[in-house]
Coordinates of all heavy atoms in Angstrom, one line a residue:
G1 N -14.6 -13.7 9.5 CA -15.0 -13.4 8.0 C -16.4 -13.2 7.9 O -16.9 -12.9 6.8
S2 N -17.2 -13.1 9.0 CA -18.6 -12.9 9.0 C -19.1 -11.5 8.9 O -20.2 -11.2 8.5 CB -19.4 -13.6 10.1 OG -19.0 -13.2 11.3
S3 N -18.2 -10.6 9.3 CA -18.6 -9.2 9.3 C -17.5 -8.4 8.7 O -16.4 -8.6 8.9 CB -18.7 -8.8 10.9 OG -19.1 -7.4 10.8
T4 N -18.0 -7.4 7.7 CA -17.0 -6.6 7.1 C -17.6 -5.1 7.0 O -18.8 -5.0 7.3 CB -17.0 -7.0 5.5 OG1 -18.2 -7.0 4.9 CG2 -16.5 -8.5 5.4
N5 N -16.7 -4.2 6.9 CA -17.1 -2.9 6.7 C -16.2 -2.3 5.7 O -15.0 -2.6 5.5 CB -17.2 -2.1 8.1 CG -15.9 -2.1 8.8 OD1 -14.8 -1.8 8.2 ND2 -16.0 -2.4 10.0
Y6 N -16.6 -1.1 5.2 CA -16.0 -0.5 3.9 C -16.1 1.0 4.1 O -17.1 1.5 4.6 CB -16.5 -0.9 2.6 CG -16.5 -2.4 2.3 CD1 -17.5 -3.3 2.7 CD2 -15.3 -2.9 1.7 CE1 -17.4 -4.5 2.4 CE2 -15.3 -4.2 1.4 CZ -16.2 -5.0 1.8 OH -16.2 -6.4 1.5
A7 N -15.1 1.7 3.6 CA -15.2 3.2 3.4 C -16.3 3.4 2.4 O -16.4 2.6 1.4 CB -13.9 3.8 3.0
D8 N -17.0 4.5 2.5 CA -18.1 4.9 1.6 C -17.5 4.9 0.2 O -18.4 4.6 -0.8 CB -18.8 6.2 2.0 CG -19.6 6.0 3.3 OD1 -20.0 4.9 3.6 OD2 -19.9 7.1 3.8
S9 N -16.4 5.4 0.0 CA -15.8 5.7 -1.4 C -15.6 4.4 -2.1 O -15.5 4.4 -3.4 CB -14.5 6.4 -1.2 OG -13.5 5.7 -0.5
V10 N -15.5 3.2 -1.4 CA -15.3 2.0 -2.1 C -16.4 0.9 -2.0 O -16.2 -0.1 -2.6 CB -13.9 1.2 -1.6 CG1 -12.9 2.3 -1.6 CG2 -14.2 0.8 -0.2
K11 N -17.5 1.3 -1.4 CA -18.6 0.4 -1.2 C -19.1 0.1 -2.6 O -19.3 0.9 -3.5 CB -19.7 1.0 -0.5 CG -19.4 1.0 1.0 CD -20.6 1.5 1.9 CE -20.2 1.6 3.4 NZ -21.3 2.2 4.2
G12 N -19.4 -1.3 -2.9 CA -19.9 -1.7 -4.1 C -18.8 -2.0 -5.1 O -19.2 -2.6 -6.2
R13 N -17.6 -1.6 -4.9 CA -16.6 -1.9 -5.8 C -15.4 -2.7 -5.2 O -14.9 -3.5 -5.9 CB -15.9 -0.5 -6.3 CG -16.8 0.4 -7.0 CD -16.2 1.6 -7.5 NE -15.6 2.4 -6.5 CZ -14.2 2.7 -6.3 NH1 -13.4 2.1 -7.2 NH2 -13.8 3.4 -5.3
F14 N -15.2 -2.7 -3.9 CA -14.2 -3.5 -3.3 C -14.9 -4.5 -2.4 O -15.9 -4.3 -1.8 CB -13.3 -2.6 -2.3 CG -12.5 -1.6 -3.1 CD1 -12.5 -1.4 -4.5 CD2 -11.4 -1.0 -2.4 CE1 -11.6 -0.5 -5.1 CE2 -10.5 -0.1 -3.0 CZ -10.7 0.1 -4.3
T15 N -14.2 -5.7 -2.4 CA -14.7 -6.7 -1.5 C -13.4 -7.3 -0.8 O -12.5 -7.7 -1.3 CB -15.3 -7.8 -2.3 OG1 -16.4 -7.3 -3.1 CG2 -15.9 -9.0 -1.3
I16 N -13.6 -7.3 0.6 CA -12.6 -8.0 1.5 C -13.1 -9.4 1.9 O -14.3 -9.6 2.1 CB -12.3 -7.1 2.7 CG1 -11.1 -7.7 3.5 CG2 -13.5 -7.0 3.6 CD1 -10.6 -6.7 4.5
S17 N -12.1 -10.3 1.9 CA -12.4 -11.7 2.3 C -11.2 -12.3 3.0 O -10.1 -11.7 2.8 CB -12.8 -12.5 1.0 OG -11.7 -12.5 0.1
R18 N -11.4 -13.5 3.6 CA -10.3 -14.0 4.2 C -10.5 -15.5 4.1 O -11.6 -16.1 4.1 CB -10.1 -13.6 5.7 CG -11.2 -14.0 6.6 CD -11.1 -13.3 7.9 NE -9.8 -13.6 8.6 CZ -9.3 -13.0 9.6 NH1 -9.9 -11.8 10.0 NH2 -8.1 -13.4 10.1
D19 N -9.4 -16.2 4.1 CA -9.2 -17.7 4.1 C -8.4 -18.1 5.4 O -7.2 -18.0 5.3 CB -8.6 -18.3 2.8 CG -8.7 -19.8 2.8 OD1 -8.7 -20.4 3.8 OD2 -8.7 -20.3 1.6
N20 N -9.1 -18.4 6.5 CA -8.4 -18.6 7.6 C -7.4 -19.9 7.7 O -6.5 -19.9 8.4 CB -9.4 -18.7 8.8 CG -9.9 -17.3 9.2 OD1 -9.3 -16.2 8.9 ND2 -11.1 -17.2 10.0
A21 N -7.9 -20.8 6.8 CA -7.1 -22.0 6.7 C -5.7 -21.6 6.0 O -4.6 -22.2 6.4 CB -7.7 -23.2 5.9
K22 N -5.8 -20.9 5.0 CA -4.6 -20.4 4.3 C -3.8 -19.2 5.0 O -2.8 -18.8 4.6 CB -4.9 -20.0 2.9 CG -5.4 -21.3 2.0 CD -5.6 -20.8 0.6 CE -6.1 -22.0 -0.3 NZ -6.3 -21.6 -1.6
R23 N -4.5 -18.6 5.9 CA -4.1 -17.5 6.6 C -3.7 -16.3 5.7 O -2.7 -15.6 5.7 CB -2.8 -17.9 7.4 CG -2.9 -19.0 8.3 CD -1.8 -19.2 9.4 NE -0.5 -18.6 8.9 CZ 0.4 -19.2 8.3 NH1 0.2 -20.3 7.8 NH2 1.5 -18.5 8.0
T24 N -4.7 -16.0 4.9 CA -4.6 -14.9 3.9 C -5.8 -14.0 4.0 O -6.9 -14.6 4.3 CB -4.4 -15.4 2.5 OG1 -5.5 -16.1 2.0 CG2 -3.1 -16.1 2.3
V25 N -5.7 -12.8 3.6 CA -6.7 -11.8 3.5 C -6.6 -11.1 2.1 O -5.5 -10.8 1.8 CB -6.8 -10.8 4.7 CG1 -7.9 -9.7 4.4 CG2 -7.0 -11.6 6.1
S26 N -7.7 -11.0 1.4 CA -7.6 -10.4 0.2 C -8.6 -9.2 0.1 O -9.5 -9.1 0.7 CB -8.1 -11.4 -0.9 OG -7.1 -12.6 -0.9
L27 N -8.3 -8.4 -0.9 CA -9.1 -7.2 -1.3 C -9.2 -7.1 -2.6 O -8.3 -6.9 -3.5 CB -8.4 -5.9 -0.7 CG -9.2 -4.7 -1.0 CD1 -10.4 -4.6 -0.1 CD2 -8.3 -3.3 -0.7
Q28 N -10.4 -7.6 -3.2 CA -10.8 -7.5 -4.6 C -11.2 -6.1 -4.9 O -12.1 -5.5 -4.3 CB -11.9 -8.4 -5.0 CG -12.3 -8.5 -6.5 CD -11.1 -8.9 -7.5 OE1 -10.5 -9.9 -7.1 NE2 -11.0 -8.2 -8.4
M29 N -10.6 -5.5 -5.8 CA -10.7 -4.0 -6.2 C -11.3 -4.0 -7.7 O -10.5 -4.2 -8.6 CB -9.6 -3.2 -6.1 CG -8.9 -3.5 -4.7 SD -7.1 -2.8 -4.6 CE -7.4 -1.0 -4.8
N30 N -12.5 -3.6 -7.9 CA -13.1 -3.5 -9.2 C -13.5 -2.1 -9.6 O -13.5 -1.2 -8.6 CB -14.4 -4.4 -9.3 CG -14.0 -5.9 -9.0 OD1 -13.0 -6.3 -9.4 ND2 -15.0 -6.6 -8.5
S31 N -13.7 -1.8 -10.8 CA -14.1 -0.6 -11.2 C -13.2 0.6 -10.6 O -13.7 1.7 -10.1 CB -15.6 -0.2 -10.9 OG -16.5 -1.2 -11.4
L32 N -12.0 0.3 -10.8 CA -10.9 1.3 -10.1 C -11.0 2.6 -10.8 O -11.2 2.8 -11.9 CB -9.5 0.7 -10.2 CG -9.3 -0.5 -9.2 CD1 -8.1 -1.3 -9.6 CD2 -9.1 0.1 -7.8
K33 N -10.8 3.6 -9.9 CA -10.7 5.1 -10.2 C -9.4 5.6 -9.8 O -8.7 5.1 -9.0 CB -11.8 5.8 -9.5 CG -13.2 5.2 -9.6 CD -14.2 6.0 -8.7 CE -15.6 5.4 -8.8 NZ -16.6 6.1 -7.9
P34 N -9.0 6.7 -10.6 CA -7.7 7.3 -10.2 C -7.6 7.7 -8.7 O -6.4 7.6 -8.2 CB -7.7 8.6 -11.1 CG -8.6 8.3 -12.2 CD -9.6 7.3 -11.7
E35 N -8.7 8.1 -8.1 CA -8.7 8.4 -6.7 C -8.4 7.2 -5.8 O -8.2 7.3 -4.6 CB -10.0 9.1 -6.3 CG -11.1 8.4 -6.6 CD -11.7 9.1 -8.0 OE1 -11.1 9.2 -8.8 OE2 -13.0 9.4 -7.9
D36 N -8.4 6.0 -6.3 CA -8.1 4.7 -5.5 C -6.5 4.6 -5.4 O -6.1 3.8 -4.7 CB -8.7 3.6 -6.2 CG -10.2 3.5 -6.1 OD1 -10.8 4.0 -5.1 OD2 -10.8 3.1 -7.2
T37 N -5.8 5.4 -6.1 CA -4.3 5.4 -6.1 C -3.9 5.6 -4.7 O -4.3 6.4 -4.1 CB -3.7 6.3 -7.1 OG1 -4.1 6.0 -8.4 CG2 -2.3 6.4 -7.1
G38 N -2.8 4.8 -4.4 CA -2.2 4.8 -3.1 C -1.4 3.6 -2.7 O -1.4 2.7 -3.4
T39 N -0.8 3.7 -1.5 CA -0.2 2.5 -0.9 C -1.1 1.9 -0.1 O -1.6 2.6 0.8 CB 1.1 2.9 -0.2 OG1 2.0 3.6 -1.1 CG2 1.8 1.7 0.3
Y40 N -1.3 0.6 -0.3 CA -2.3 -0.2 0.5 C -1.6 -1.0 1.5 O -0.7 -1.8 1.2 CB -3.2 -1.0 -0.3 CG -4.2 -0.2 -1.2 CD1 -3.9 0.7 -2.2 CD2 -5.6 -0.3 -0.8 CE1 -4.9 1.5 -2.7 CE2 -6.6 0.4 -1.4 CZ -6.1 1.3 -2.5 OH -7.2 2.0 -3.0
Y41 N -1.9 -0.9 2.8 CA -1.4 -1.6 3.9 C -2.3 -2.6 4.5 O -3.5 -2.2 4.6 CB -0.9 -0.7 5.0 CG 0.2 0.3 4.6 CD1 -0.2 1.5 4.1 CD2 1.5 0.0 4.8 CE1 0.9 2.4 3.7 CE2 2.5 0.9 4.5 CZ 2.2 2.1 4.0 OH 3.1 3.0 3.6
C42 N -1.9 -3.7 4.6 CA -2.6 -4.8 5.4 C -2.3 -4.7 6.9 O -1.1 -4.6 7.2 CB -2.2 -6.2 4.9 SG -3.0 -7.6 5.8
V43 N -3.3 -4.5 7.7 CA -3.1 -4.2 9.2 C -4.0 -5.1 9.9 O -5.1 -5.2 9.8 CB -3.5 -2.7 9.5 CG1 -2.9 -2.4 10.9 CG2 -2.9 -1.8 8.5

C-alpha cells in the first residue's frame, strides 16, 4: 500500500487504497465525469 499509480485522466480525482487486514482494495472516485463510465475490474 506504499506505492500507487494512476492513469493521467484520473489523477487528482481517484484514490486507490487497501486494507490488508480486511483483504480489501478500494477505489474512491470523486468529481466523476461522463468519460469515467465503464465496467471497472479489480485485477
Side-chain angles (χ1 to χ4, degrees):
S2 64
S3 180
T4 60
N5 55 51
Y6 300 90
D8 288 342
S9 62
V10 307
K11 286 181 179 177
R13 300 188 298 117
F14 290 11
T15 302
I16 189 170
S17 61
R18 69 190 297 163
D19 185 331
N20 287 340
K22 295 181 179 179
R23 307 193 336 273
T24 60
V25 176
S26 295
L27 184 68
Q28 180 66 45
M29 309 165 67
N30 297 327
S31 302
L32 283 162
K33 304 175 181 179
E35 51 263 46
D36 295 321
T37 294
T39 302
Y40 285 72
Y41 296 88
C42 178
V43 193

